[in-house]
Amino acid sequence: MFAAAHFYRRFSTTQSVFNKMRVAIIGQSMFAGEVYKQLVKDGHKIVGVFTIPDQGVREDPLATTAKQDGIPVFKNKAWRKKGVAIPEVLDAYKSVEADLNVMPFCSQFIPMEVINMPKHKSICYHPSILPRGRGASAINWTLIKGDKKAGFSIFWADDGLDTGPLLLQRICDTHSNDTVDSLYNRFMYPEGIRAMAEAVRLVDNGMAPKMTQPEEGATYDAMLNKKDLCKLNVAQSAAEIHDFIRGMDSVPGAWTILDGKEVRLFGSKVYSGVPRKGREYPIEGSAVPGVVHKGGLVITGTDGKKVQVSRLTVDGKMMDANKFGLASAIVEDLVLTEDELKVAEKLKAVWKAILSIDIAPDTDFFDAGAGSMDVVRLVEETKEKAEIELENEDVYMSTSFHEFMQMVARKMRGGGGAVEFTYDAFKMRANNMDLSFPTQLFINGEFVDATSGKVLHSINPATEELICDVQAASKADVDDAVMAAKDTFYGEWGNMNPRDRGALIMKLADLMDEHKEELATIEPDQSRAVYTLALKTHVGMSIATWRYFAGWCDKIQGKTIPINNARPNHNLTITKREPIGVCGLVTPWNYPLMMLSWKMAACLAAGNTVVIKPAQVSPLTALKFAELSAKAGFPKGVINVLPGSGSVCGQAIADHPQVRKLGFTGSTEIGVTIMRSCAESNLKKCSLELGGKSPFIIFADCDFEKAVRMVMSSVMFNKGENCIAAGRIFIEDSIHDAFVERVIEECKKMSIGDPLNRGTAHGPQNHKAHFDKLLEYIDISAKEGAKLVYGGKRYGDKGFYLYPTVFTEVEDHMWCAKEESFGPIMIISRFGNGEIMEVVNRANDTEFGLASGVMTKDLNKALLVSEKLEAGTCFVNVYNKTDVAAPFGGFKQSGFGKDLGEEALNEYLKTKTITFEYN
């Protein structure tokens, strides 16, 4: 059967090449031009192109393309007069002797003599799933009516209005925020070109069906060329308002009367929040005033739900909706650099090619006759020539060439639009530099106050003084952020090419690198990590993490799997790795920026969107990061940062039914609560990096001095506030006493003081509650019989400073042998000479399994011990050596799931299996 079908396809193709079916194309637009190119590529002979007259000096793209190939082009103002075909037009058509008329997009009435004259008659493209949506504005009505499916039909033209027999159809899902432009760009345009080419092949091969359209479900919708049809009726539900506005975005534009002015509405989304700091304006026909706030214009439907509009046209000029009612902000013109002037010349040539006129600074793109498809062309050519990201709305808001070039130049310099991203910054001076950072919630691309009115107090651990107050998110704020993240997951972010996503993440990493000294200063201000450590590890590893995962964006792929065939047919199974959706992240206070980066970089690289709650006591670098993400150009809603309490904000994220994955780093106790919430809410996927009591075994045959350095680092690194800190040091008996002496010597050398001082090795603990807990830990350990040989008390009388502390002679049954301190407290136990498996068993006698370590020169011993230790990471002759490419995560009650490395991506992906059958 396969051989016969293959022969038929080869025979049919050969026949087409020799016969060269003569095709006439009737229509206009870039779409028709692309169909023409595809038919030429497929080997069909185009004998004539029939299109509309030039618009001033502008020639239709179809005519331009065909003329370049020497194809006869006919530009008819009309085909008939008073219902009768114009003889000279009809004669011109007859002269090409077409076998088939192809009509990709045609706005003219074509006489039936022309429709039926070719051997194979005429086929037409129509942008709806016929018989539903007959009429010239079909695609608009698909969205206005809220249809869940959209698509197009290719049918045999007849004397009815879009009523001819169907040849083929293609169908797609509509997204909640689709517009005419997004549907065309995503599906109707690219799939339409391919489908028109397929339809012509079917006709050529004699295999084109003619399926009578059913009358059931047939609709005819009016052409939206009358102003009264485009007026928004606000006396309906929010969903109906949203559908009406997006159905006319960007042409012709729904309109209403706002504060006595006629405005057209664009960029509509369902809005679930409460407008913050808004200005109220009456809307004609609505009992509820519109509210203009940072996000745009909020309109309330009769069901009490809301719609947010991001752009308005007022007096013929497009503007951000949030600026309605304000005096226009004066933006100083940029002086273009030499490189920008070169780009301007290239873009002037693009404008000239599109508009077919000489371009002056005040030339208006739309006044010169450009349409929506010209916008698409301009956007794509500008992306190529200026190497920037551009959206259709950027063109609509910068319509003159001067405004357009100013907008392009700002984007080339890293800005996102006409006005630089701004917020109400908290400013301070520290580390000999001026700092500024946000203190509000970051939701849907803007900094906003919490609906709760509550704040968190950010305290400097070195001075115990207030740094600033930070907004504390409520449950309602979490809901706003989740819905924003969901919208962009199914919209702009979800539709972005993986490679473009990687470029955006890399741009964010570059911005973090540019601001690394500022980030490394804010980090100690809130967590009191030593500045040099913050610069290298807290910030340095964060930047490396973003760069590493940026490279993964276009390398996430599935598999092909051989499966048993359902004979006589054949089967093939493939898998796809897909993003999960909206992910919640809850991060700890010890590495505020690094823990954010470890989780979020993998999450975004996989294609998800994020709502993150940074630690209550250290949210500042997360907010500065949010600012940088906005400046990098991330779409609104991709990243949402919500400082707040764990009991309110964290719990709301864990409980939210639209959050599909939760990543958490923190205590085992809270991890249990998180896991329970994930199960009870919507069975969301979760990954947990929890507590540890990591054993570090020092054998007598180790490199002694290196072992001392490694043990000091394993406990004292980052003031002991380190999830993989060695919670218990096992030292072989023969070197125990000498080793302890060296450890005490090293502790005495540690400089304690201001973390911003480059010579400081040991800063204050993170916050008072933790500091008090460590003092209690020391007291309990001493009372149980552990031998305090160094430290054990507060350093100084101001700030949360603690001396490095060393306990020896710790027995396995003692409380400090089992409980994690999470501070600079070294717990030392001895083990007998030559005991290998005995000490391994003691090391494994814990419910934790995050990390472990071993120091020995004996390779066999190292291999055996590293194999037997029950921990997610084992360090051999080193400690704390983590890397962005190496997976990190624990066993047992230290949690499950991985950060870093390729394995981290698995936490934020789901696998879809697709099985095909063919013959």
Side-chain angles (χ1 to χ4, degrees), residues 206-254:
M207 300 173 64
K210 290 186 177 180
M211 300 171 285
T212 302
Q213 288 191 38
E215 283 307 307
E216 183 179 354
T219 63
Y220 172 77
D221 300 306
M223 184 176 180
L224 297 171
N225 60 349
K226 296 181 179 178
K227 185 176 178 180
D228 61 324
L229 293 175
C230 303
K231 185 175 183 181
L232 172 66
N233 173 19
V234 292
Q236 54 185 339
S237 71
E240 290 168 320
I241 291 171
H242 171 58
D243 289 338
F244 191 84
I245 296 171
R246 71 190 182 107
M248 298 197 188
D249 189 331
S250 56
V251 176

Side-chain angles (χ1 to χ4, degrees), residues 19-57:
N19 291 343
K20 288 190 175 179
M21 183 171 70
R22 299 168 64 84
V23 176
I25 297 182
I26 303 175
Q28 66 215 60
S29 78
M30 283 177 62
F31 177 67
E34 292 300 316
V35 170
Y36 163 88
K37 291 177 186 178
Q38 187 61 51
L39 295 184
V40 170
K41 183 179 178 181
D42 289 349
H44 301 296
K45 183 175 179 61
I46 310 300
V47 294
V49 161
F50 298 83
T51 187
I52 58 174
D54 296 348
Q55 306 296 308
V57 295

Side-chain angles (χ1 to χ4, degrees), residues 411-615:
K411 285 183 175 286
M412 291 175 68
R413 297 182 189 187
V419 180
E420 186 179 355
F421 179 79
T422 58
Y423 62 90
D424 295 329
F426 178 83
K427 297 181 179 181
M428 61 181 291
R429 186 165 179 81
N431 200 20
N432 296 316
M433 66 178 74
D434 293 321
L435 306 175
S436 68
F437 48 84
T439 58
Q440 297 171 288
L441 315 181
F442 187 67
I443 299 176
N444 201 26
E446 60 184 90
F447 287 104
V448 296
D449 288 339
T451 56
S452 65
K454 296 181 178 179
V455 297
L456 306 171
H457 304 302
S458 184
I459 303 295
N460 183 332
T463 63
E464 302 181 48
E465 296 173 351
L466 178 70
I467 300 173
C468 62
D469 287 335
V470 175
Q471 295 289 309
S474 67
K475 185 177 179 181
D477 297 320
V478 170
D479 191 57
D480 281 0
V482 171
M483 298 315 294
K486 181 182 177 183
D487 283 348
T488 195
F489 177 77
Y490 289 105
E492 185 176 356
W493 185 248
N495 295 328
M496 186 178 290
N497 291 325
R499 198 162 296 162
D500 294 337
R501 190 165 65 239
L504 201 54
I505 292 174
M506 190 65 79
K507 184 176 180 181
L508 173 59
D510 290 343
L511 278 172
M512 292 172 69
D513 198 19
E514 289 176 25
H515 292 263
K516 61 187 175 186
E517 287 86 3
E518 187 177 5
L519 290 166
T521 301
I522 297 171
E523 189 91 339
D525 268 338
Q526 61 179 350
S527 70
R528 262 5 201 180
V530 174
Y531 175 76
T532 51
L533 174 66
L535 190 61
K536 178 184 176 183
T537 302
H538 289 233
V539 177
M541 193 174 186
S542 296
I543 295 168
T545 302
W546 286 99
R547 286 183 171 147
Y548 173 80
F549 282 108
W552 271 109
C553 290
D554 61 353
K555 300 171 187 67
I556 297 170
Q557 54 197 18
K559 299 178 180 179
T560 58
I561 303 172
I563 64 171
N564 289 345
N565 293 321
R567 299 181 187 277
N569 293 329
H570 296 76
N571 296 96
L572 173 67
T573 290
I574 65 170
T575 60
K576 291 181 65 181
R577 309 302 308 284
E578 298 182 344
I580 293 172
V582 179
C583 296
L585 302 178
V586 179
T587 51
W589 46 258
N590 57 326
Y591 293 105
L593 184 62
M594 196 167 79
M595 291 297 100
L596 174 153
S597 300
W598 280 24
K599 295 184 185 302
M600 194 187 296
C603 179
L604 297 185
N608 301 284
T609 54
V610 174
V611 177
I612 184 170
K613 187 199 87 67

Side-chain angles (χ1 to χ4, degrees), residues 245-446:
I245 296 171
R246 71 190 182 107
M248 298 197 188
D249 189 331
S250 56
V251 176
W255 65 277
T256 189
I257 302 297
L258 177 65
D259 195 30
K261 296 180 179 179
E262 181 180 311
V263 298
R264 291 191 180 267
L265 312 165
F266 304 95
S268 169
K269 289 186 178 181
V270 174
Y271 183 73
S272 59
V274 177
R276 306 157 195 266
K277 295 183 179 178
R279 306 182 302 277
E280 293 187 353
Y281 297 99
I283 301 176
E284 186 178 280
S286 175
V288 181
V291 178
V292 174
H293 71 133
K294 276 189 175 182
L297 167 66
V298 175
I299 302 172
T300 303
T302 53
D303 55 356
K305 296 181 180 179
K306 298 175 176 62
V307 169
Q308 180 169 280
V309 175
S310 62
R311 303 183 309 282
L312 303 175
T313 297
V314 183
D315 297 327
K317 186 71 175 177
M318 185 77 77
M319 64 184 294
D320 289 327
N322 60 17
K323 293 182 174 58
F324 180 84
L326 299 177
S328 298
I330 299 174
V331 181
E332 186 176 345
D333 280 352
L334 300 177
V335 176
L336 301 189
T337 65
E338 186 175 338
D339 287 342
E340 289 163 353
L341 288 170
K342 291 177 182 177
V343 171
E345 287 304 311
K346 293 178 182 178
L347 295 182
K348 184 179 286 187
V350 173
W351 276 53
K352 184 173 183 178
I354 294 173
L355 302 176
S356 298
I357 59 174
D358 290 329
I359 306 300
D362 61 351
T363 299
D364 188 283
F365 194 65
F366 298 101
D367 287 349
S372 59
M373 294 310 298
D374 297 314
V375 173
V376 174
R377 177 181 172 185
L378 179 59
V379 166
E380 294 306 313
E381 294 206 39
T382 302
K383 284 181 180 179
E384 177 186 342
K385 289 176 170 55
E387 297 182 351
I388 59 171
E389 286 300 312
L390 203 67
E391 303 295 335
N392 290 4
E393 66 185 63
D394 293 321
V395 180
Y396 288 113
M397 298 183 71
S398 305
T399 59
S400 75
F401 184 73
H402 174 76
E403 292 170 339
F404 182 78
M405 258 322 298
Q406 288 286 309
M407 177 270 295
V408 168
R410 286 189 170 87
K411 285 183 175 286
M412 291 175 68
R413 297 182 189 187
V419 180
E420 186 179 355
F421 179 79
T422 58
Y423 62 90
D424 295 329
F426 178 83
K427 297 181 179 181
M428 61 181 291
R429 186 165 179 81
N431 200 20
N432 296 316
M433 66 178 74
D434 293 321
L435 306 175
S436 68
F437 48 84
T439 58
Q440 297 171 288
L441 315 181
F442 187 67
I443 299 176
N444 201 26
E446 60 184 90

Side-chain angles (χ1 to χ4, degrees), residues 733-878:
D733 193 60
S734 63
I735 63 168
H736 176 274
D737 294 348
F739 200 96
V740 170
E741 286 182 15
R742 285 288 293 113
V743 164
I744 293 172
E745 289 175 12
E746 292 301 313
C747 286
K748 290 177 179 178
K749 293 177 186 177
M750 293 181 70
S751 58
I752 304 173
D754 182 359
L756 294 178
N757 187 320
R758 275 41 171 189
T760 298
H762 191 78
Q765 306 310 134
N766 186 278
H767 55 281
K768 188 176 188 303
H770 180 56
F771 178 71
D772 291 342
K773 178 185 170 185
L774 291 176
L775 291 175
E776 182 183 12
Y777 186 99
I778 292 168
D779 184 55
I780 293 172
S781 301
K783 287 179 179 177
E784 270 206 322
K787 184 178 179 181
L788 178 64
V789 295
Y790 187 79
K793 60 185 179 180
R794 180 175 191 153
Y795 174 88
D797 57 4
K798 191 173 186 180
F800 308 131
Y801 290 97
L802 183 68
Y803 275 103
T805 298
V806 181
F807 281 102
T808 63
E809 307 301 339
V810 175
E811 302 294 334
D812 293 353
H813 66 274
M814 292 181 179
W815 184 78
C816 63
K818 298 178 182 296
E819 293 298 320
E820 179 184 29
S821 71
F822 212 65
I825 303 174
M826 189 180 295
I827 304 297
I828 298 178
S829 300
R830 64 173 78 220
F831 66 94
N833 294 330
E835 294 179 354
I836 299 177
M837 288 310 301
E838 291 87 347
V839 73
V840 169
N841 290 335
R842 291 172 67 190
N844 286 335
D845 187 20
T846 173
E847 274 300 301
F848 300 109
L850 189 57
S852 61
V854 56
M855 298 291 294
T856 177
K857 292 179 182 178
D858 186 333
L859 179 59
N860 289 326
K861 192 184 295 182
L863 288 170
L864 176 64
V865 173
S866 62
E867 176 187 318
K868 295 300 182 181
L869 286 172
E870 297 171 353
T873 296
C874 183
F875 299 106
V876 179
N877 293 328
V878 71

Side-chain angles (χ1 to χ4, degrees), residues 475 479 482 486 652-660 681-682 684:
K475 185 177 179 181
D479 191 57
V482 171
K486 181 182 177 183
I653 293 172
D655 289 341
H656 202 289
Q658 296 302 322
V659 174
R660 300 298 175 184
S681 56
N682 60 345
K684 59 174 62 69

